[in-house]
Amino acid sequence: LGPGIGYNFSASDDLGRIIALDVPADAVAGEVTIHYIPGYPSGTPISTDILFFGDYAFTFLPEPKNAELLMPITLGVDYGDDVTSALQSVSQGDESRLLLYWWNGEGWQDAATTCVTPAAYERLPEINRLRVPVCQLGTFLLVAP
């Protein structure tokens, strides 16, 4: 990434689940490389009062590590029937309960609250997609509190 340059990234796994990143132009002040690391990092605790989907965990790691976002970027997660089935068993299939959590170094928080003004989720249950603007990079996890 660089100043004045927008960027769209997506990665798909063997099951067709897609993680997408939309970065507007001028989201960074200098040259930044963002590394996509799929999976749930070992050693990161999970609360027992949430339904979490470890197959939908990922990290966006900036280089240099102290790179900051100057404006929100949008993360998108396409989830599969495994998520909708799990939701059916605990909440009558209510996909509006799905959230993306961000690891702040001490605990998990709703990714929509990483910006000064909390963001709104864009929910597209007809295609099993969730999108949310965020103001931090790091580790993310799909959950249903």
Side-chain angles (χ1 to χ4, degrees):
L1 303 175
I5 302 172
Y7 183 77
N8 295 312
F9 164 84
S10 64
S12 177
D13 68 10
D14 295 344
L15 300 175
R17 297 178 292 216
I18 297 172
I19 304 296
L21 174 69
D22 294 324
V23 181
D26 296 322
V28 293
E31 296 294 318
V32 176
T33 300
I34 297 179
H35 301 276
Y36 168 71
I37 305 164
Y40 185 76
S42 63
T44 308
I46 284 289
S47 172
T48 57
D49 62 347
I50 62 171
L51 178 60
F52 73 99
F53 303 96
D55 290 342
Y56 297 90
F58 56 93
T59 300
F60 282 116
L61 185 64
E63 186 181 318
K65 290 187 180 197
N66 64 347
E68 294 183 14
L69 297 174
L70 302 176
M71 60 182 58
I73 62 172
T74 301
L75 294 182
V77 177
D78 284 13
Y79 50 90
D81 292 335
D82 56 332
V83 171
T84 55
S85 295
L87 287 172
Q88 188 65 37
S89 67
V90 297
S91 66
Q92 291 72 46
D94 184 5
E95 292 177 49
S96 70
R97 293 192 60 213
L98 286 174
L99 300 173
L100 199 59
Y101 272 12
W102 171 71
W103 179 252
N104 65 20
E106 296 179 10
W108 293 99
Q109 74 179 66
D110 186 342
T113 66
T114 61
C115 297
V116 173
T117 301
Y121 281 89
E122 178 184 4
R123 299 174 188 282
L124 305 162
E126 64 279 1
I127 58 171
N128 290 358
R129 181 174 294 153
L130 178 73
R131 292 173 38 94
V132 63
V134 300
C135 292
Q136 297 290 332
L137 296 171
T139 301
F140 297 88
L141 175 65
L142 185 66
V143 301

